[in-house]
Amino acid sequence: MSERGPSAAPSHESSPSAPVTVPLKAARRAGLLVTFILGGLTALPPLSMDMYLPALPQVTAALGSPAATIQLTLTSCLAGMALGQLVIGPMSDKWGRRRPLLTGMAVYVLATAICALAPSAGLLIGFRLLQGLAGSAAIVIARAVVRDLYDGVEMARFFSTLMLISGTAPIIAPLIGGQVLRFADWRGVFVVLTAVGLALTLVVWRGLGETLPPERRQTGGVGAALRTMRGLLADRVFAGYTLAGGFAFAVLFSYISASPFVVQEIYGASPQAFSLLFGLNSVGLIVVGQVNGKVLVGRVSLDKVLAVGIAVFMTASVALLLMSAGVFGKAGLLPVAAALFVLMSAMGLVLPNTNAQALMRTPHAAGSASALLGTSSFLVGAVASPLVGIAGEHTAVPMALVQLSCSVLAAGCFLALCRPWREREPMAAPAGTTAQADAAAPADPAAP
């Protein structure tokens, strides 16, 4: 844990309007609670998106709207999560983490409750947008809190631990949604999400203290926030890790978008077999993420681990493209499933380490940096996802081609911008911060 980082555990006298910081030893004692809180925050966005998926046909019938219109309830939530991070991240750099997080969570609970009561598709779309905007506070501030509390390899380890918690959310969310629909209609899904949001808000209020003390906060208004973001993007190394992580996330998004169609329609798997394969791939990602955090980090340079991860999913993408194009004859489900498993598992080496390496350069603006990381991933993924079906429903070539293209772009950004073989100058804190003395990025102890 960083010796600069304050605690994440408040005293009993804490309140939303009175952020509390307490000694580092208390933070270590509260480490398990803080881990579960931050894991819950990072799991909230996928729960909000995926728990609702089984209810889409029911929503279409109940509100009497076309399926294309109801699909906008997913798009609006995703757009809100992407854009909200750009606002809430800089806010947390200026006002601290606790106040924007609790405000965002309160608005999330209110918006989700209204979604449960929405009488029309238009109102549901609008409040799903608000739900996404407010819910983005959870993921963007969770990453910033990790940066406040941890440095170096400890931060990479913690991101891998978070993956163990948040990585299960996309797996269990549709299952929970399906079970809710056995006892209630589609509005019951939003009732459950409201309860989850309310419980998480109360836990944050009681268990997560302020991690950004006043002396390390940004000064200035909107102009200063924009200058900070511009400065972050102008830093070649930060931009390299951000883009590499964004393109890796696009590989993941393209898999999520195309795999139901590819596995079931092209390769003839049953829905149950697809669910099993999807679950196994998610387990592979989580397990490799834990190997990254528990075994590799601290022993091997983060850049070397990241390079191996990118090389592995690029190789898997090449194999998928060759099989999809019929270079080796007609491929069956087993080799395709094996390539998808390798590709997904490699994400456990890439996603935690791109986040850690990018945030290590930005102790002076962790909220803004987290916002740029999250927004770039969502936007690049959203652009890549529709391309997987561009050639129709009878070929997996577009999926494999998108994955290979994004893999090559991730590798190119990593090599051309991050230049891991060179010694790097630390990023200087911009003039608008009060934490210029803390701006130097900590070294990776395992780096050569």
Side-chain angles (χ1 to χ4, degrees):
M1 184 175 287
S2 168
E3 295 300 323
R4 296 185 295 103
S7 168
S11 67
H12 292 296
E13 292 78 24
S14 65
S15 69
S17 59
V20 175
T21 57
V22 293
L24 184 62
K25 289 182 180 179
R28 286 175 174 152
R29 288 197 299 270
L32 186 59
L33 174 62
V34 172
T35 299
F36 278 109
I37 290 174
L38 296 179
L41 290 173
T42 56
L44 188 63
L47 283 176
S48 301
M49 292 291 296
D50 298 342
M51 193 184 297
Y52 174 65
L53 293 178
L56 283 176
Q58 202 178 99
V59 178
T60 302
L63 298 182
S65 298
T69 301
I70 300 303
Q71 287 286 347
L72 291 176
T73 62
L74 295 175
T75 305
S76 61
C77 187
L78 180 62
M81 288 179 185
L83 299 177
Q85 295 184 61
L86 291 176
V87 178
I88 297 173
M91 285 172 58
S92 75
D93 282 337
K94 181 178 181 180
W95 294 322
R97 313 301 183 203
R98 186 171 162 84
R99 195 191 319 176
L101 176 57
L102 286 170
T103 301
M105 292 299 298
V107 175
Y108 172 89
V109 171
L110 180 62
T112 307
I114 295 176
C115 285
L117 303 173
S120 67
L123 282 175
L124 183 58
I125 291 169
F127 280 100
R128 282 282 280 176
L129 175 64
L130 181 59
Q131 183 193 39
L133 288 167
S136 67
I139 191 168
V140 71
I141 294 181
R143 278 195 302 261
V145 168
V146 174
R147 182 61 189 93
D148 293 339
L149 295 177
Y150 293 92
D151 273 339
V153 296
E154 290 299 320
M155 180 163 51
R157 287 195 180 106
F158 197 87
F159 275 125
S160 293
T161 301
L162 285 187
M163 185 173 289
L164 178 63
I165 301 171
S166 62
T168 60
I171 304 173
I172 66 172
L175 301 177
I176 296 173
Q179 292 303 309
V180 170
L181 293 177
R182 294 181 61 186
F183 305 100
D185 64 6
W186 64 272
R187 299 181 190 275
V189 174
F190 288 107
V191 172
V192 172
L193 284 172
T194 301
V196 170
L198 182 60
L200 191 54
T201 303
L202 293 174
V203 172
V204 168
W205 178 53
R206 295 293 299 171
L208 188 68
E210 181 56 69
T211 62
L212 187 69
E215 64 271 15
R216 292 181 55 214
R217 295 177 188 174
Q218 298 274 350
T219 59
V222 175
L226 292 175
R227 286 192 297 273
T228 297
M229 285 192 171
R230 185 176 61 190
L232 293 174
L233 291 174
D235 181 74
R236 173 178 49 79
V237 179
F238 174 81
Y241 285 121
T242 300
L243 289 171
F247 284 119
F249 206 69
V251 175
L252 179 62
F253 259 56
S254 64
Y255 160 77
I256 293 172
S257 299
S259 60
F261 153 72
V262 170
V263 173
Q264 295 181 84
E265 299 297 327
I266 296 179
Y267 292 98
S270 66
Q272 292 74 25
F274 166 73
S275 299
L276 177 61
L277 291 175
F278 191 90
L280 286 174
N281 290 343
S282 300
V283 169
L285 186 153
I286 294 169
V287 169
V288 172
Q290 296 315 293
V291 171
N292 174 70
K294 306 298 183 185
V295 178
L296 299 178
V297 171
R299 294 179 175 88
V300 184
S301 164
L302 296 184
D303 280 332
K304 288 182 179 178
V305 176
L306 178 55
V308 169
I310 292 175
V312 169
F313 71 56
M314 186 184 300
T315 302
S317 299
V318 171
L320 282 168
L321 182 59
L322 294 176
M323 286 188 286
S324 301
V327 173
F328 304 122
K330 184 173 176 59
L333 176 60
L334 186 59
V336 171
L340 287 173
F341 178 81
V342 171
L343 182 143
M344 282 290 289
S345 298
M347 294 295 167
L349 301 178
V350 177
L351 297 180
N353 292 330
T354 52
N355 281 339
Q357 290 287 64
L359 289 172
M360 264 192 265
R361 292 188 62 78
T362 59
H364 58 283
S368 296
S370 177
L372 291 172
L373 282 168
T375 301
S376 63
S377 295
F378 275 105
L379 291 181
V380 175
V383 170
S385 293
L387 299 178
V388 298
I390 199 169
E393 301 181 355
H394 303 291
T395 176
V397 169
M399 179 194 75
L401 194 57
V402 168
Q403 289 172 339
L404 179 58
S405 299
C406 291
S407 300
V408 171
L409 289 170
C413 291
F414 175 60
L415 294 174
L417 298 178
C418 301
R419 301 176 189 175
W421 58 88
R422 292 187 180 180
E423 186 175 350
R424 298 165 185 158
E425 292 293 328
M427 184 192 299
T433 71
T434 58
Q436 296 180 28
D438 290 333
D444 179 355

